[in-house]
Amino acid sequence: MAERPIDTTGTDPTSSGPERSSAGMHGITESVRYSMSEMGPKRSLRTLAAMNHVDGFDCPSCAWGDPDPEHRKIAEFCENGAKAVAWEATRKRVDAAFFAEYSVAALRERDGHWLESQGRLAQPMRLAPGATHFEPVSWQDALALTADRLRGIADPNRAVFYTSGRTSNEAAFLYQLLARRLGTNNLPDCSNMCHESSGAALTETIGVGKGLITYADITDHADLIIVVGQNPGTCHPRMLTALEQAKRRGARIIAANPLPEAGFGRFRNPQTVRGLIGPGTKLTDRWLPVRVNGDLALFAGLNRALIDREDAQPASALDHDFIDRYCDGFEAAAAAWRALDRSRIETMAGLPRRLIEDCAADVLAADSVVVCWAMGLTQHRNAVATIREIVNFLLLRGNIGRPGAGPAPIRGHSNVQGDRSMGIWEKMPDTFLDRLRDEFGFEPPRAHGLDTVDSIKAMRDGKVDVFIGLGGNFASATPDTEVTEAALANCDLTVHVATKLNRTHLCHGTEALVLPCLGRSERDPQASGEQFVTVEDTMAMVHSSRGRLFPGSPHLRSEVAIIADLAYALFGADLGWRDMRDDYAVIRRHIEHVIPGFHAFEQRVRQPGGFMLPRAPRDSRTFPTATGKAHFTVNPPTATEVPPGYLLLTTVRSHDQFNTTVYGLDDRYRGIKGGRRVVFVNGDDLRALHLHEGDRVDLVSVNADGERRAPGFRAVRYPTPRGCAAAYYPETNVLVALDSTAETSNTPATKSIVIRLEPSGGGAGAPRR
Ligand SMILES: Nc1nc2c(c(=O)[nH]1)N[C@H]1C(S)=C(S)[C@@H](COP(=O)(O)OP(=O)(O)OC[C@H]3O[C@@H](n4cnc5c(=O)[nH]c(N)nc54)[C@H](O)[C@@H]3O)O[C@H]1N2
Ligand SMILES: Nc1nc2c(c(=O)[nH]1)N[C@H]1C(S)=C(S)[C@@H](COP(=O)(O)OP(=O)(O)OC[C@H]3O[C@@H](n4cnc5c(=O)[nH]c(N)nc54)[C@H](O)[C@@H]3O)O[C@H]1N2
Ligand SMILES: [Mo]
């Protein structure tokens, strides 16, 4: 990668339209090119060979699961996993000399891509009150200072403990223990912005907030797999391998997505010779170009079609045995579907009746159906209702609790699901808190804490003194960027445990610390010997992860050690913090006692491939809801209203980024090169707005409290549904008002932003085709 600062404003991006196939040789050459540039040849080989293997480390990218140990390939990684590891294992360093050279003000002028490209954080740094530069600080002083400030706050709820989903189970468990020992449930995490809507809908309807499928459900069992609001080609590339296997044994695949993503076209599996030289496998049988936020209407329409069929021909469409035995609320839901106005549904979904009916026919022909989804569903005002409607859809035909069937929210960060299992949540149930009390002998706080959006509001309003971030990039990932940055600056102390420098570290409180930690790929020696950690993937498989590389700097500490030493500085020896630091098996023993499903944790996690956590609805069709039944719910279809002349903007990831980490400025699958400030718009909409491809436009969002502007985007003609547009995150987060969140889950509605396009001041011109 070039050493010069790269301008992510993307002044001259080029566009060549969407790709029709994914992966193949190109995927391999990209992995190799990026790995070599960051790590050199020897380190690249050593690192990539250890990824996702039984005695290696878990890929730090997405949460997709692994095949059985005996079915793993020599190279069990994808292009984007390779990038994530190379990014972590880079040889470049951000050390004291770097911070002496650049003032905080100078660093704030740089974009996120440049900041992270400078290399790994190499030593603890402190920004003194009023200082212009970060300066080196010893670990001891850094942790003593943090403990001192935490002790000084008038109320423990004036501290906030944020987590990003890369944190291991062991570190996460320790971190929530520290927060609760201090007396607060203020444990916001990236999940609040991610699958919170899925968790809320699933817990309410089936009693368990996780997906219910296994790897084999996709590869071996499902007759029909519906992928909604998810872009696996970029975000879960190894899922394509599993879908290809499903396809080869005759499963059907339907994709519902406003964009014709390359992952839905032909897949050339880079792990097989056939995939490298052949034409590849066509993955999807049907693509539903649903309008942005049209999914609630789509599933309501499907459910209506199933009911109509049943009414016309009893016992032909529904699984009445299942409904009678395991569910309640069916009659009310059925009455609501019968009363639906079908033409309204079709308008909301943006899909003709024929397409919805064809899709329903696929469903009727399938004995088992899996529905996979990701952020395309969760980040809308009505997200929870949409996912409840998907549960209805599955319940109607008994597609829960048997092979090849079930809901499959595909999780994002590699351990975001595990972090939740460990208690990283602002509203853990009393049963968990009781067990924590019994295990450790202190009374955890019961009042619910702050989630991500409410933490921003509390900081904005001067109600938070100390903000601690265990990974992540809070300022860039959250909505209302200006408000959030100012909110962080309102704190007395901001502390970040991180691997790379990012924007959040520069939106500091009066005083600030940046503490560098080990990454997944690195060895972690402690007093009792070299440690491993554990993670949970999206299929609820818990397995171990052991780094292989020597740490990037002698000053790096593990997340576990940092939290344990901070806790010791705060509370002394009380809960055995140092024993937990010295031997992570001690933490696992506590986890075993506190968290259901972790019995014999230490033995079982040492088995190749690990073990699967129980999920009652899947395992025994037991639904741990208030009534003991799965609930049908009534979800009147809604869709975001868009006034004439406005567009509905969704925000997406490019192929060259992991959340706020931007590896490069291309988005190969969507044909974009050399820039990120582009907005994808339907050609007819461009014409109606009197705009041309390549025009420079500002995106202006309209909110109850006024307008917000993201300047200087290039208009790109793209086959989006009429009235719908797309642009990259996080550049678009300035447009999202803090109050624009999903009902119930409070997840920022970052995928339904009502905008208008205004010509920018600067010169227009078509991007080079
Ligand atoms: N390479 C890479 N991998 C990643 C990440 C990354 O940034 N880069 N991030 C990780 C994380 S934390 C997460 S949560 C996941 C995210 O994984 P995804 O959710 O797949 O990622 P997004 O880019 O947010 O894309 C959402 C998809 O939904 C579609 N979409 C947008 N709006 C709508 C809508 O209203 N309805 C429907 N049906 N579809 C819609 C978009 O066109 C896009 O294809 O990926 C994880 N893996
Ligand atoms: N508009 C819009 N906004 C969104 C989304 C969207 O689709 N659209 N998606 C949302 C979603 S799904 C998510 S998950 C959030 C992501 O929110 P976050 O999880 O907060 O953000 P990341 O970009 O994943 O965090 C990257 C930083 O993590 C640190 N890091 C990386 N590895 C490690 C590690 O091993 N340990 C530690 N301690 N630190 C590490 C690095 O310093 C890096 O800069 O963003 C959300 N925001
Ligand atoms: Mo996520």
Side-chain angles (χ1 to χ4, degrees):
M1 183 175 296
E3 289 292 337
R4 72 188 159 76
I6 297 173
D7 176 15
T8 60
T9 53
T11 42
D12 202 13
T14 64
S15 146
S16 57
E19 287 270 326
R20 292 198 172 78
S21 70
S22 61
M25 200 48 153
H26 208 139
I28 298 223
T29 49
E30 276 297 295
S31 322
V32 172
R33 191 187 58 77
Y34 192 77
S35 302
M36 300 279 268
S37 71
E38 293 288 312
M39 299 191 285
K42 248 167 71 190
R43 205 169 162 83
S44 298
L45 199 66
R46 171 114 148 255
T47 314
L48 296 177
M51 245 164 104
N52 294 327
H53 280 277
V54 171
D55 195 34
F57 61 92
D58 182 63
C59 174
S61 196
C62 77
W64 182 251
D66 301 307
D68 287 343
E70 60 268 30
H71 289 123
R72 295 199 192 161
K73 304 274 194 313
I74 293 171
E76 195 56 66
F77 59 85
C78 69
E79 175 187 343
N80 281 331
K83 282 186 206 157
V85 169
W87 172 93
E88 178 176 294
T90 177
R91 293 181 175 284
K92 295 179 238 163
R93 296 291 172 264
V94 166
D95 52 13
F98 174 91
F99 284 106
E101 184 179 346
Y102 295 98
S103 68
V104 174
L107 291 171
R108 280 178 65 96
E109 298 293 311
R110 303 292 186 155
D111 59 55
H113 175 55
W114 185 87
L115 290 174
E116 295 208 23
S117 298
Q118 302 314 299
R120 281 288 293 279
L121 288 162
Q123 64 194 91
M125 302 298 297
R126 166 175 180 245
L127 184 73
T132 55
H133 289 68
F134 274 95
E135 290 180 348
V137 62
S138 70
W139 274 106
Q140 189 170 2
D141 288 352
L143 297 176
L145 177 110
T146 310
D148 193 57
R149 296 295 182 276
L150 285 172
R151 252 195 306 271
I153 55 182
D155 170 352
N157 293 316
R158 296 185 65 85
V160 164
F161 295 85
Y162 177 70
T163 316
S164 168
R166 210 172 265 188
T167 296
S168 66
N169 285 338
E170 287 75 2
F173 184 80
L174 213 57
Y175 191 58
Q176 63 81 31
L177 187 64
L178 183 153
R180 296 194 162 107
R181 172 72 185 82
L182 185 73
T184 184
N185 283 311
N186 287 348
L187 286 156
D189 69 345
C190 66
S191 201
N192 295 141
M193 298 176 267
C194 188
H195 269 295
E196 193 72 59
S197 304
S198 310
L202 294 173
T203 305
E204 178 187 340
T205 52
I206 59 173
V208 170
K210 292 183 185 182
L212 297 183
I213 64 153
T214 64
Y215 197 88
D217 283 330
I218 299 280
T219 51
D220 298 0
H221 303 303
D223 286 341
L224 174 65
I225 301 162
I226 307 183
V227 181
V228 205
Q230 194 202 343
N231 182 17
T234 285
C235 291
H236 303 91
R238 290 191 310 135
M239 179 171 168
L240 299 186
T241 309
L243 290 177
E244 184 192 38
Q245 256 178 281
K247 197 73 218 151
R248 285 181 177 274
R249 66 165 171 80
R252 279 179 83 74
I253 299 174
I254 297 178
N257 198 309
L259 304 183
E261 306 287 32
F264 302 137
R266 290 196 166 273
F267 172 54
R268 288 171 293 139
N269 189 342
Q271 293 171 341
T272 61
V273 174
R274 192 179 57 229
L276 288 178
I277 55 174
T281 310
K282 185 171 180 295
L283 286 186
T284 33
D285 299 283
R286 204 183 284 292
W287 169 44
L288 306 176
V290 63
R291 278 179 54 83
V292 169
N293 196 220
D295 306 276
L296 175 50
L298 164 62
F299 277 91
L302 283 174
N303 290 340
R304 164 66 186 260
L306 296 180
I307 290 284
D308 282 354
R309 170 67 183 263
E310 182 73 13
D311 288 346
Q313 196 182 331
S316 67
L318 308 187
D319 183 343
H320 284 290
D321 278 354
F322 178 84
I323 294 172
D324 295 346
R325 246 178 103 181
Y326 298 109
C327 306
D328 56 25
F330 170 73
E331 288 307 333
W337 288 316
R338 288 188 189 103
L340 282 179
D341 174 346
R342 290 217 282 175
S343 57
R344 245 188 97 229
I345 297 264
E346 288 144 23
T347 311
M348 281 181 179
L351 299 171
R353 180 171 309 186
R354 179 189 45 76
L355 213 49
I356 298 179
E357 281 177 355
D358 288 350
C359 184
D362 289 340
V363 174
L364 288 165
D367 279 340
S368 52
V369 181
V370 167
V371 182
C372 302
W373 71 88
M375 297 304 101
L377 293 196
T378 63
Q379 299 170 334
H380 302 279
R381 187 169 282 281
N382 59 1
V384 177
T386 302
I387 297 162
R388 281 196 304 246
E389 193 68 9
I390 289 180
V391 172
N392 284 338
F393 168 76
L394 292 168
L395 293 176
L396 281 175
R397 289 175 53 79
N399 274 312
I400 285 189
R402 55 190 176 77
I410 305 297
R411 306 298 303 246
H413 264 296
S414 52
N415 197 39
V416 65
Q417 187 158 315
D419 291 346
R420 272 292 162 90
S421 299
M422 293 300 117
I424 302 287
W425 196 25
E426 71 282 355
K427 38 181 188 260
M428 283 303 279
D430 280 333
T431 46
F432 171 87
L433 300 172
D434 291 344
R435 281 193 296 265
L436 206 60
R437 174 198 61 210
D438 297 345
E439 177 72 3
F440 292 100
F442 74 95
E443 191 54 57
R446 299 286 164 159
H448 289 174
L450 300 169
D451 63 13
T452 293
V453 166
D454 288 341
S455 294
I456 297 169
K457 291 182 179 169
M459 288 190 279
R460 177 196 64 192
D461 299 341
K463 293 177 182 160
V464 175
D465 300 323
V466 180
F467 178 95
I468 301 186
L470 186 58
N473 187 356
F474 191 87
S476 300
T478 52
D480 232 348
T481 314
E482 276 177 41
V483 175
T484 302
E485 293 194 352
L488 282 162
N490 251 351
C491 298
D492 293 339
L493 175 68
T494 46
V495 182
H496 296 286
V497 177
T499 50
K500 289 266 184 107
L501 184 64
N502 66 42
R503 177 81 186 170
T504 306
H505 309 154
L506 307 172
C507 304
H508 54 85
T510 310
E511 202 170 7
L513 291 165
V514 175
L515 306 176
C517 66
L518 293 174
R520 278 251 179 97
S521 56
E522 289 163 322
R523 291 167 187 263
D524 182 1
Q526 300 293 341
S528 67
E530 211 161 275
Q531 306 295 310
F532 67 85
V533 292
T534 63
V535 292
E536 175 186 339
D537 68 28
T538 202
M539 281 101 178
M541 288 296 296
V542 179
H543 59 91
S544 65
S545 173
R546 187 191 289 276
R548 293 286 189 87
L549 300 178
F550 287 102
S553 138
H555 301 293
L556 302 187
R557 294 206 177 164
S558 75
E559 291 181 346
V560 167
I562 296 167
I563 302 159
D565 286 343
L566 173 60
Y568 188 85
L570 255 176
F571 311 117
D574 66 350
L575 304 186
W577 305 100
R578 285 190 163 167
D579 298 339
M580 293 195 261
R581 175 197 64 189
D582 292 346
D583 182 359
Y584 298 179
V586 177
I587 308 177
R588 286 190 286 273
R589 208 139 56 229
H590 288 304
I591 292 172
E592 176 172 336
H593 298 161
V594 173
I595 300 166
F598 282 84
H599 61 276
F601 187 7
E602 193 68 23
Q603 296 93 294
R604 288 196 297 154
V605 85
R606 285 168 183 269
Q607 295 161 5
F611 62 92
M612 189 178 292
L613 289 173
R615 289 161 293 172
R618 171 187 175 82
D619 305 337
S620 58
R621 289 191 158 174
T622 309
F623 296 92
T625 59
T627 59
K629 300 229 167 173
H631 302 315
F632 277 97
T633 50
V634 175
N635 308 295
T638 52
T640 312
E641 302 255 337
V642 186
Y646 284 73
L647 300 170
L648 189 56
L649 178 78
T650 188
T651 60
V652 296
R653 291 150 166 85
S654 82
H655 196 62
D656 249 2
Q657 77 182 87
F658 190 91
N659 297 342
T660 68
T661 295
V662 174
Y663 303 122
L665 302 184
D666 300 344
D667 190 2
R668 192 169 85 235
Y669 290 160
R670 299 194 188 103
I672 298 298
K673 268 209 159 80
R676 292 176 48 86
R677 288 186 93 82
V678 292
V679 58
F680 299 96
V681 187
N682 182 290
D684 292 338
D685 284 325
L686 279 182
R687 236 184 327 276
L689 295 168
H690 307 291
L691 290 168
H692 300 94
E693 163 131 294
D695 282 358
R696 191 83 79 88
V697 292
D698 292 358
L699 316 185
V700 183
S701 69
V702 188
N703 313 278
D705 62 350
E707 295 189 347
R708 286 165 176 74
R709 182 177 296 262
F713 283 67
R714 292 279 186 190
V716 169
R717 183 159 26 86
Y718 209 76
T720 62
R722 279 300 300 268
C724 301
Y728 299 123
Y729 131 77
E731 287 83 348
T732 40
N733 272 342
V734 292
L735 296 170
V736 184
L738 214 46
D739 281 323
S740 176
T741 60
E743 287 150 16
T744 313
S745 66
N746 210 23
T747 293
T750 43
K751 282 196 175 34
S752 312
I753 313 174
V754 177
I755 58 159
R756 64 169 186 270
L757 303 180
E758 281 185 6
S760 302
R768 303 187 305 271
R769 276 265 179 193

